[in-house]
Amino acid sequence: MPRSRPYPRDGAGPEPGQASALTGASLNGQASAAGSPLGLHRVLEPAGVLPQAAWRLDAKAAIWPDEVRVAVTRLNLDAASFRQLREAHNGNPDKIRASVLEIIRTRGKMQNPVTGSGGMLTGTVAEVGPESSLGLAVGDKIATLVSLSLTPLVITDGLVGWDGKSEQVPCEGHAILFGRSIAAKLPDDLPAELALSVMDVCGAPALTHRVVAGCQARSSQAPGPVVAIIGAAGKSGSLSAAAARQAGAARIIGVVPHEAEAQLLRDAEGAAAGQPGLIDEIVIADARNPVVVSRAIEGAGGPADVTVVCVDVPGCEGGAILATAYGGTVIFFSMATSFTAAALGAEGVAADVTMLVGNGYVPGHAQLALDLIRAQPAVRGVFQRRLDEHGSANHSAPNHGAPNHGE
Amino acid sequence: MPRSRPYPRDGAGPEPGQASALTGASLNGQASAAGSPLGLHRVLEPAGVLPQAAWRLDAKAAIWPDEVRVAVTRLNLDAASFRQLREAHNGNPDKIRASVLEIIRTRGKMQNPVTGSGGMLTGTVAEVGPESSLGLAVGDKIATLVSLSLTPLVITDGLVGWDGKSEQVPCEGHAILFGRSIAAKLPDDLPAELALSVMDVCGAPALTHRVVAGCQARSSQAPGPVVAIIGAAGKSGSLSAAAARQAGAARIIGVVPHEAEAQLLRDAEGAAAGQPGLIDEIVIADARNPVVVSRAIEGAGGPADVTVVCVDVPGCEGGAILATAYGGTVIFFSMATSFTAAALGAEGVAADVTMLVGNGYVPGHAQLALDLIRAQPAVRGVFQRRLDEHGSANHSAPNHGAPNHGE
């Protein structure tokens, strides 16, 4: 695998010629006659805030000249959000379904009021405003890569097709894309469900790639950096591992919470025998215990130059910080990350580490992630196993599913 | 002012020869026979977590061989914490005092259960364990630079000397420093109260310096980066502006919430006439309104290459992100920052910005900040005005005091 692939380019804009697959938008935040590209005209309350911060959006079907209306076929709820709903309703599918419907009805968007997070959706483009710059055409099958937490949404089928047991929600309704949104056409060569779950977490591998490549560039004396992935058997974790490898990581340590997750990783690697390995050493440790997880990573070749947090459970900040070398970087992708715990945690142990808020948007992120899935059978194996799990009633790893980030 | 000053060094360890002023500690997180340098032996519940994450610490006066006991003379409560206490008790000093006492009594540390934050303290070294590596001697007057949220603390005077009206809490009692802690001796040439308030926020200028200097190094074609400071008239904001200037910023835009804050900045600059200016353009805008603040910064010469968030009010994430140039960096120092709002906010507007969790620890941070105060009369003027404000009953800017970070 070429290590020098200049992708995604550090600090650069959207890749030229990419608009056909990953449609970008104007980066000008100013309102135009077409309405605000940021969707400010859809905010009902409180007035003047961005759609993500709004309590309630106007989700009516009629579009502004720069908007796109999508006929929704499926919601993919953010993992932290679905987990909260499941726990709040003791796993009762009817109550979970009613709760989701009520949120969408009252807020005009699927933003969990407790977690603040949303998810993503797939659908078919139903109408394109004359001033839209998203490059979409009626009939295109797409996934939105901006969060449901800011996407105007109406559900019309009462979610009758959803069993309430997983974050995959088949449904009917419509959603609105603003002038400055991000949507990706679903690729022809991959199953839609697989592509969707890949694009859902595509911010994580893209930022991991950028950070690891940056380490490489700074210290030209090989070998490359040591990378620890906390939650390596999850979706964003396995993709981030693949991205780290492509970007030049010398050693990749994968942390998983128990043997079943370790076995899932081994199975995926075994099924891809002969291919480059995804993880160099798998360690089993509770990521919420800073002392345990940092010692485990140290024992596996750490401390890490780059630590990537991909588990959606609270309390993983301290372990990630302690496991990271002086001068290293921690990337927090988990939506369960506490800003305060990270800031005070690093200070409390006098750790000079760079801590990044995992931005779900990096130019070219969907394409990078889809290419990793195509190139690395082990990652595809992890995703297939995760999708199969969701199809069954038995969630073997409820606490360590991949965070639905990049959402 | 020399722009090439190699300080603080990027990714380097503590400065050699610095131990006399800023005492560092072993960076080895492993437990030793002396007890854990991280203070694990002081954690009562839940077992096995780091002291910052603990509900309750053992604050007994007897020290382990690598610990230091400090006779406490003053607490400096974190601004977010004090604000929460003041609002929860409607500003009633007796209730605020009782609440602080109760927190310390039940938790063995001053960590506000709502905000999760603490503050810092000053005192006199009372006992030094034989295996301590902090370089302290009995009788040294010091400030702790690790948060009160992880520092074992006992108050013995019932806080009778505190009026309950400001975050400066004169008191008697003892606190414990672990093997791996950070404490700074109070300088002889500055008033203690001034030095304390400088060291309290010294993480912000140090990290700002590093980031701005990094921008400079990457793009050697001058001019330097545009830096926006949100909360520029506060303590961490004004220090960060001075650090940005020293690190080579070409233009510094200071955002303040209202005219009184703008006037405070102008007064401080005026009193330091003839010195290099602290802020190139002051703009008045509500940082909680992304649209307003980003347009204000754009109008003042933005977007910013580096945006520094130094106000302790929630909801400033979106504005900071929108005000930052594609490929730029946002540094969040406010403890009121929401991780979710930052992550989803950037993604929601397709903003390719690097977002940093403001780590309160950067090697050499206290020294850098004290040197800025000595060199820049305008910053010292801001601090003096803030200290005078605290001395009076009239808080002219209750919403935009500097975050007590680096706390």
Side-chain angles (χ1 to χ4, degrees), chain B residues 22-403:
Chain B
L22 174 65
T23 56
S26 161
L27 287 161
N28 177 356
Q30 305 298 317
S32 74
S36 157
L38 298 170
L40 299 173
H41 54 285
R42 290 274 185 176
V43 172
L44 291 180
E45 57 178 307
V49 304
L50 288 169
Q52 203 265 327
W55 172 250
R56 194 160 64 93
L57 297 180
D58 175 1
K60 72 176 170 209
I63 59 172
W64 264 252
D66 65 343
E67 291 183 336
V68 168
R69 188 176 65 254
V70 179
V72 181
T73 52
R74 182 182 292 265
L75 306 180
N76 194 1
L77 300 184
D78 164 74
S81 171
F82 180 69
R83 192 172 165 218
Q84 187 275 328
L85 289 163
R86 194 176 56 201
E87 291 178 356
H89 299 293
N90 293 313
N92 182 316
D94 291 336
K95 288 184 179 171
I96 294 171
R97 197 161 37 224
S99 180
V100 169
L101 279 170
E102 179 66 8
I103 290 169
I104 298 170
R105 192 186 63 76
T106 54
R107 305 199 67 175
K109 59 179 178 177
M110 180 52 215
Q111 181 178 30
N112 184 317
V114 178
T115 63
S117 56
M120 58 188 294
L121 63 83
T122 50
T124 305
V125 173
E127 186 180 0
V128 177
E131 296 177 27
S132 169
S133 56
L134 296 185
L136 298 174
V138 171
D140 284 348
K141 294 191 187 312
I142 63 154
T144 59
L145 299 183
V146 289
S147 174
L148 286 180
S149 64
L150 57 91
T151 303
L153 177 68
V154 170
I155 296 296
T156 53
D157 72 345
L159 301 180
V160 292
W162 181 39
D163 62 8
K165 291 180 180 170
S166 93
E167 57 259 52
Q168 298 279 338
V169 184
C171 63
E172 289 177 20
H174 73 257
I176 304 295
L177 301 181
F178 306 132
R180 178 169 160 172
S181 280
I182 321 165
K185 289 188 196 173
L186 291 167
D188 295 330
D189 63 332
L190 296 171
E193 200 182 19
L194 174 63
L196 185 61
S197 62
V198 170
M199 291 192 289
D200 181 36
V201 296
C202 66
L207 187 54
T208 299
H209 191 287
R210 179 186 283 183
V211 169
V212 172
C215 286
Q216 275 290 78
R218 277 202 303 280
S219 61
S220 53
Q221 76 283 20
V226 174
V227 177
I229 311 278
I230 298 179
K235 292 185 285 184
S236 63
S238 60
L239 263 180
S240 296
R245 180 73 75 202
Q246 187 182 76
R251 182 170 183 79
I252 299 178
I253 302 163
V255 179
V256 295
H258 44 61
E259 174 56 29
E261 296 275 287
Q263 193 56 48
L264 186 149
L265 263 183
R266 284 186 220 110
D267 289 347
E269 297 232 22
Q275 301 288 327
L278 190 60
I279 305 285
D280 294 305
E281 185 158 349
I282 300 171
V283 298
I284 297 174
D286 183 346
R288 295 164 298 187
N289 187 317
V291 180
V292 166
V293 77
S294 61
R295 285 182 187 165
I297 289 173
E298 195 152 306
D305 299 299
V306 178
T307 301
V308 186
V309 182
C310 289
V311 289
D312 68 347
V313 288
C316 298
E317 301 86 0
I321 290 163
L322 268 188
T324 304
Y326 208 80
T329 300
V330 182
I331 317 178
F332 291 106
F333 283 109
S334 166
M335 296 304 273
T337 302
S338 156
F339 181 90
T340 318
L344 293 181
E347 186 179 330
V349 296
D352 182 20
V353 295
T354 297
M355 296 184 286
L356 296 177
V357 178
N359 182 348
Y361 177 67
V362 174
H365 56 350
Q367 199 59 46
L368 174 76
L370 292 169
D371 286 349
L372 287 169
I373 281 283
R374 293 182 180 110
Q376 296 236 17
V379 189
R380 184 159 179 173
V382 169
F383 271 73
Q384 201 53 59
R385 281 165 176 78
R386 292 296 178 198
L387 292 173
D388 294 345
E389 266 177 20
H390 280 170
S392 77
N394 175 24
H395 288 255
S396 66
N399 284 355
H400 280 260

Side-chain angles (χ1 to χ4, degrees), chain A residues 180 347 349 351 357 359 406-407, chain B residues 180 347 349 351 355 359 407:
Chain A
R180 178 169 159 172
E347 186 180 329
V349 297
V357 178
N359 183 347
E407 94 67 37
Chain B
R180 178 169 160 172
E347 186 179 330
V349 296
M355 296 184 286
N359 182 348
E407 88 71 39

Side-chain angles (χ1 to χ4, degrees), chain A residues 238-314:
Chain A
S238 60
L239 263 180
S240 296
R245 179 74 75 202
Q246 187 183 76
R251 182 170 182 79
I252 299 177
I253 302 163
V255 179
V256 296
H258 44 61
E259 174 56 29
E261 295 276 286
Q263 192 57 47
L264 186 150
L265 264 183
R266 283 186 219 110
D267 289 348
E269 298 232 21
Q275 300 287 327
L278 189 60
I279 306 284
D280 294 306
E281 186 158 348
I282 300 170
V283 298
I284 297 173
D286 183 347
R288 295 165 299 187
N289 188 317
V291 180
V292 166
V293 76
S294 61
R295 285 181 187 165
I297 289 173
E298 195 153 307
D305 300 298
V306 178
T307 301
V308 186
V309 181
C310 290
V311 289
D312 69 347
V313 288

